[in-house]
């Protein structure tokens, strides 16, 4: 289990709703991004420096479990690092709603540290690796993991 999980609330917008009054599945990507930026501020402190050095999303996998209905309560994301490698790392997410125990989605995002000048991946710096190690935990249980793909 993670030593530390970060919980972030992300407001829902009227435009997040689809024709069925559910939060549209594409909006979950925005929630993951907003949650990630807030978590990075907590984990790394100078998130702007990390972003200026270069950081790319290489992969996103989401299991949609229960439709999220539009309403006043924000989405609540719990996230942590689930894997650290040479030039990339995975983030695990559980997406719910403030005031509820219902899990609406689980996700995993692979981030690649990137040298913008050289236009190629770069190795994680020691301070980045240390920050991620403090929030390292188990991978989120995704359907593809049960089928042996990862």
């Amino acid at each position: 289990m993670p030593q530390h999980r970060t919980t972030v609330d992300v407001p829902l917008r009227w435009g997040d709703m689809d024709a069925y009054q559910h939060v549209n599945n594409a909006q979950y990507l925005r929630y993951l991004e907003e949650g990630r930026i807030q978590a990075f501020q907590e984990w790394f402190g100078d998130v702007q420096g990390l972003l200026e050095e270069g950081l790319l999303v290489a992969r996103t996998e989401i299991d949609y479990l229960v439709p999220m209905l539009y309403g006043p309560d924000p989405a609540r994301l719990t996230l942590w690092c689930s894997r650290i490698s040479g030039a990339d790392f995975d983030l695990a997410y559980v997406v719910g709603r403030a005031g509820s125990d219902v899990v609406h989605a689980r996700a995993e995002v692979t981030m690649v540290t990137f040298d913008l000048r050289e236009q190629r991946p770069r190795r994680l710096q020691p301070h980045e690796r240390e920050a991620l190690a403090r929030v390292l935990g188990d991978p989120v249980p995704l359907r593809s993991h049960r089928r042996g793909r990862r």
Side-chain angles (χ1 to χ4, degrees):
M1 290 311 286
Q3 296 173 2
H4 173 76
R5 292 181 179 210
T6 299
T7 300
V8 174
D9 286 349
V10 178
L12 302 184
R13 302 176 307 188
W14 178 258
D16 293 352
M17 184 174 40
D18 63 17
Y20 302 114
Q21 296 182 345
H22 300 149
V23 170
N24 185 283
N25 62 338
Q27 295 305 319
Y28 282 76
L29 293 170
R30 182 180 62 83
Y31 300 159
L32 300 182
E33 177 184 49
E34 289 188 23
R36 177 169 59 245
I37 297 301
Q38 290 182 48
F40 284 177
Q41 184 68 47
E42 180 180 323
W43 300 350
F44 297 103
D46 180 20
V47 72
Q48 192 60 37
L50 177 68
L51 298 176
E52 287 172 357
E53 290 181 33
L55 190 61
L56 303 176
V57 173
R59 181 184 69 85
T60 301
E61 184 173 351
I62 303 174
D63 284 348
Y64 299 99
L65 305 171
V66 176
M68 185 183 298
L69 298 175
Y70 177 80
D73 294 326
R76 176 159 288 164
L77 284 72
T78 303
L79 63 152
W80 63 94
C81 179
S82 60
R83 183 186 63 83
I84 305 170
S85 189
D88 61 28
F89 57 94
D90 288 345
L91 299 174
Y93 295 81
V94 175
V95 181
R97 288 293 281 282
S100 172
D101 292 331
V102 174
V103 175
H104 294 278
R106 291 189 188 97
E108 185 174 74
V109 174
T110 300
M111 304 296 299
V112 175
T113 49
F114 199 74
D115 184 323
L116 294 171
R117 204 172 1 185
E118 298 293 325
Q119 288 296 296
R120 63 183 178 84
R122 66 169 176 83
R123 299 205 48 89
L124 281 160
Q125 296 178 17
H127 71 278
E128 294 167 334
R129 187 175 294 283
E130 289 170 15
L132 292 169
R134 285 192 293 272
V135 294
L136 185 62
D138 296 330
V140 69
L142 296 172
R143 290 181 189 114
S144 64
H145 295 180
R146 290 194 304 262
R147 293 191 297 260
R149 289 191 327 227
R150 182 146 204 279

